[in-house]
Amino acid sequence: MAKQRGKLIVISGPSGAGKSTVVFKALEGRSDCCFSVSATTRKPRPTEVDGREYFFVDPDRFKEMIANDELLEHAEYVANSYGTPRAYVEKKLDEGMNVILDIEVQGALQVHEKMPEAILIFFIPPSMEELEKRLRGRGTDSERKIQARLYRAKEEYALADFYNYIIVNDDADVAANEFSAIITAESCKFEDRKFYLSEV
Amino acid sequence: MAKQRGKLIVISGPSGAGKSTVVFKALEGRSDCCFSVSATTRKPRPTEVDGREYFFVDPDRFKEMIANDELLEHAEYVANSYGTPRAYVEKKLDEGMNVILDIEVQGALQVHEKMPEAILIFFIPPSMEELEKRLRGRGTDSERKIQARLYRAKEEYALADFYNYIIVNDDADVAANEFSAIITAESCKFEDRKFYLSEV
């Protein structure tokens, strides 16, 4: 069977939606998926390896990457820049890998504009009440931080209308099965397989 | 969790693609799917029950169903009429069931026009050589019949460009997993779940 190109899978959702747990569970036993590696101006920590955790670049090189349209999206966090190198993603897609990119809604919108074929999945908890309960249950955030996260979640919900799929993480096994199913189903799309029909 | 409406899943593909085997395998353990029940002017066989194998109707009633737009598609086989009653399908979809409809490409095109939200899946063997091998392997068809089936398959391939998905049945387990994944993924579509985002 001819090797199909992989898909770029963008995942977003509020802190507390349980995205990471679900995705790691879904990827157990799937060798056709990998995570994207971001470029950053942040200094590497002792255990970090360039090209594994991040591509470490200096601020001038980062600016150049933006100017040359080498990034699918980029954003600033705590005085450092982070971005998704298009070349790395394209290389993995060409190898047939599905590349998973975990970013916020604003970044997802940039990716959606630069690569319209990307699959966008929005993870949510079953309700805002449940989200609040989960955030409190962690016991790590101040009341003010919890309120800020809930406010941020509502903001993201209002902007999420360009996503392709919604996964409601009520039960992590169900959600993981849905995530895996989306990746499998997307690889069966007519456009990606129509070459089979002309090989007759 | 609110009950989502089911999806109409139309499946087609040449005789020898192994559609039925794959679909039955995929439906083991899924209680959210059922097959559509066709209306027919054919006389019931002794073991057949009206509303189970078919809805048995007389030719006048069948003509009336066509005239009233009560059928999602219809066709003639061996002097009998067969069609898919829209009311039955809608009822099952409203109950949250995914309804599976196994029809030829011409019928699928009619469904696609009357119910554009239907999901259309085209099953194919890995190659025409493999299809020919499978048809011969059955030992039931004459050479002339085999050639007619191959010709018919090529005709269908040329008309299948309105399908949403292609499943290549090389390994029945892989194909069954893909079929099941498509149904699961389709239920995660943004449009079907966006009500979660407004319930905040």
Side-chain angles (χ1 to χ4, degrees):
Chain A
M1 201 187 283
K3 191 146 200 172
Q4 287 182 216
R5 197 161 193 263
K7 302 273 182 180
L8 177 58
I9 314 283
V10 175
I11 59 172
S12 309
S15 179
K19 228 177 354 174
S20 308
T21 310
V22 168
V23 171
F24 279 107
K25 203 181 267 276
L27 296 192
E28 280 167 21
R30 282 197 84 121
S31 58
D32 59 346
C33 299
C34 67
F35 284 93
S36 179
V37 176
S38 298
T40 183
T41 58
R42 169 165 89 54
K43 294 276 168 285
R45 293 174 190 142
T47 60
E48 289 178 335
V49 176
D50 185 54
R52 192 179 66 187
E53 283 82 3
Y54 289 97
F55 294 107
F56 296 98
V57 299
D58 63 35
D60 283 346
R61 172 66 186 123
F62 199 91
K63 276 180 205 144
E64 187 184 72
M65 292 176 92
I66 295 172
N68 294 347
D69 199 25
E70 292 178 52
L71 298 175
L72 287 173
E73 58 81 35
H74 60 95
E76 303 280 319
Y77 296 101
V78 207
N80 287 306
S81 301
Y82 295 81
T84 302
R86 184 196 287 268
Y88 180 80
V89 170
E90 296 279 2
K91 182 174 158 281
K92 289 293 175 186
L93 298 179
D94 285 342
E95 289 167 14
M97 294 297 278
N98 299 299
V99 181
I100 296 165
L101 179 56
D102 181 349
I103 47 176
E104 298 198 342
V105 173
Q106 287 299 340
L109 185 55
Q110 292 176 46
V111 175
H112 177 58
E113 283 164 1
K114 296 202 185 216
M115 202 188 263
E117 69 272 29
I119 310 306
L120 307 150
I121 307 177
F122 198 64
F123 283 81
I124 58 171
S127 68
M128 273 293 156
E129 293 68 40
E130 175 63 21
L131 180 59
E132 192 166 346
K133 210 174 108 188
R134 288 185 193 173
L135 293 174
R136 283 192 205 293
R138 291 174 174 182
T140 53
D141 293 340
S142 65
E143 181 58 30
R144 188 169 157 181
K145 184 96 186 184
I146 289 170
Q147 290 307 323
R149 286 197 193 280
L150 291 171
Y151 182 79
R152 180 94 190 97
K154 285 174 197 177
E155 269 187 337
E156 289 205 332
Y157 279 26
L159 295 169
D161 62 342
F162 61 93
Y163 281 75
N164 303 105
Y165 295 97
I166 293 175
I167 291 181
V168 183
N169 182 16
D170 191 5
D171 174 309
D173 288 322
V174 171
N177 181 49
E178 290 182 346
F179 181 71
S180 187
I182 290 168
I183 297 174
T184 299
E186 282 290 335
S187 75
C188 302
K189 279 287 176 77
F190 187 87
E191 280 303 309
D192 294 289
R193 291 191 166 173
K194 66 181 179 185
F195 66 90
Y196 279 105
L197 302 183
S198 53
E199 281 178 355
V200 298
Chain B
M1 200 187 282
K3 191 145 199 171
Q4 287 181 218
R5 196 161 193 263
K7 302 273 182 180
L8 177 57
I9 315 284
V10 175
I11 59 172
S12 309
S15 180
K19 228 178 353 176
S20 309
T21 310
V22 168
V23 171
F24 278 107
K25 202 180 269 274
L27 296 192
E28 279 167 21
R30 282 197 83 121
S31 58
D32 60 345
C33 299
C34 67
F35 284 93
S36 179
V37 176
S38 298
T40 183
T41 58
R42 169 166 88 55
K43 293 276 167 288
R45 292 172 192 145
T47 61
E48 290 178 335
V49 176
D50 185 55
R52 191 179 68 186
E53 283 82 4
Y54 289 97
F55 295 107
F56 295 99
V57 299
D58 64 35
D60 283 346
R61 172 68 186 122
F62 199 90
K63 276 180 205 148
E64 187 185 73
M65 292 176 93
I66 296 171
N68 294 347
D69 199 25
E70 293 177 52
L71 298 175
L72 288 173
E73 57 80 37
H74 61 94
E76 303 281 319
Y77 295 101
V78 207
N80 286 308
S81 301
Y82 295 82
T84 302
R86 185 196 287 269
Y88 180 81
V89 170
E90 295 279 3
K91 181 174 160 281
K92 289 293 173 186
L93 298 179
D94 285 341
E95 289 168 12
M97 293 298 277
N98 299 299
V99 180
I100 296 165
L101 179 56
D102 182 349
I103 47 177
E104 297 198 344
V105 174
Q106 287 299 340
L109 185 57
Q110 293 176 48
V111 174
H112 177 59
E113 282 163 1
K114 295 201 185 217
M115 203 188 262
E117 69 272 29
I119 311 306
L120 307 150
I121 307 176
F122 197 65
F123 282 81
I124 57 171
S127 69
M128 273 293 157
E129 293 68 40
E130 174 63 21
L131 180 60
E132 191 166 347
K133 211 175 107 187
R134 289 186 192 172
L135 292 174
R136 284 193 206 291
R138 291 175 173 181
T140 53
D141 293 340
S142 66
E143 181 58 29
R144 188 168 157 180
K145 184 97 188 184
I146 289 171
Q147 291 306 324
R149 286 197 193 280
L150 291 171
Y151 181 80
R152 179 95 191 98
K154 285 173 198 179
E155 269 187 335
E156 289 206 331
Y157 280 25
L159 296 169
D161 62 342
F162 62 94
Y163 281 76
N164 303 105
Y165 297 95
I166 294 176
I167 291 180
V168 183
N169 182 16
D170 190 5
D171 174 311
D173 287 322
V174 172
N177 181 50
E178 290 182 347
F179 181 71
S180 187
I182 291 168
I183 297 174
T184 298
E186 282 289 338
S187 75
C188 302
K189 279 286 177 78
F190 187 88
E191 281 303 309
D192 294 290
R193 290 190 167 175
K194 65 180 178 186
F195 67 90
Y196 279 105
L197 303 183
S198 53
E199 281 178 355
V200 297

